[in-house]
Amino acid sequence: MAVNKEVYWQLKKELERTGTELVAVSKTKPVSDVEALYMLGQRDFGENYVQELVEKETQLPKDIRWHFIGHLQSNKVKYIAPFVHLIHGVDSFNLLKEINKQAAKNNRIINCLLQVHIAQEETKFGFSFHELNELSELSELKNVNVCGLMGMASFTEDMEAVRNEFKNLKTAFDKFSIRNCQLSILSMGMTTDYKVAIEEGSNMVRIGSMLFGAREYSK
Ligand SMILES: *Cc1c(COP(=O)(O)O)cnc(C)c1O
């Protein structure tokens, strides 16, 4: 499935009006699809499997900013630490410590978002709002830059429920600060719910199937 230019331009225009960043989610899609969007000017791409990300990174231009958006296992951090631009799904303090360690080994500071559990479903990873407030130890970690929050809404057609989940995350985002620094990135919204997410204050959306077509198997 080729990339649809018109859809990309329309989306870019729509996002520009609200100052929203686009992460193009290329998981399961071939390198040629990433190249096609790269040719249109897109530089931020998101993947959620470590091996797939590492393979694509070696084959694609070096000025791509790679976002890791999936559930990251601690033992795999080392593979992406040399190059990853932003890790969206940090869902435990132990994972954050491991990212800090691997970042130090690579002489880098890695940007991270804390994933917050906002959905009704049991299966989604992330900190609870209560746990967020207890993350005071963050200041010890010199090689991670926690610059925002990320959340995934429930998988439902009930957009009012989705809106409420996004609203709660925005409230936490406005209140939460680390080392007295206000967070700057609020990553919420995908193909089906990005409009609602933006209305509720998202400034970074992660969009896959709208740009690249439906995925053949759900990942
Ligand atoms: C797959 C995925 C997306 C993109 O989903 P689409 O519905 O294809 O836009 C966004 N965020 C995360 C965390 C994902 O895993």
Side-chain angles (χ1 to χ4, degrees), residues 25 27 48 69 150 152 190-191 206-209 215:
V25 177
K27 62 186 180 193
N48 64 349
I69 63 171
M150 178 269 209
M152 289 173 81
M190 329 189 348
T191 294
R206 312 172 309 270
I207 295 187
S209 36
R215 286 176 295 275

Side-chain angles (χ1 to χ4, degrees), residues 134 143 193 202:
E134 293 181 341
N143 289 78
D193 57 19
S202 167

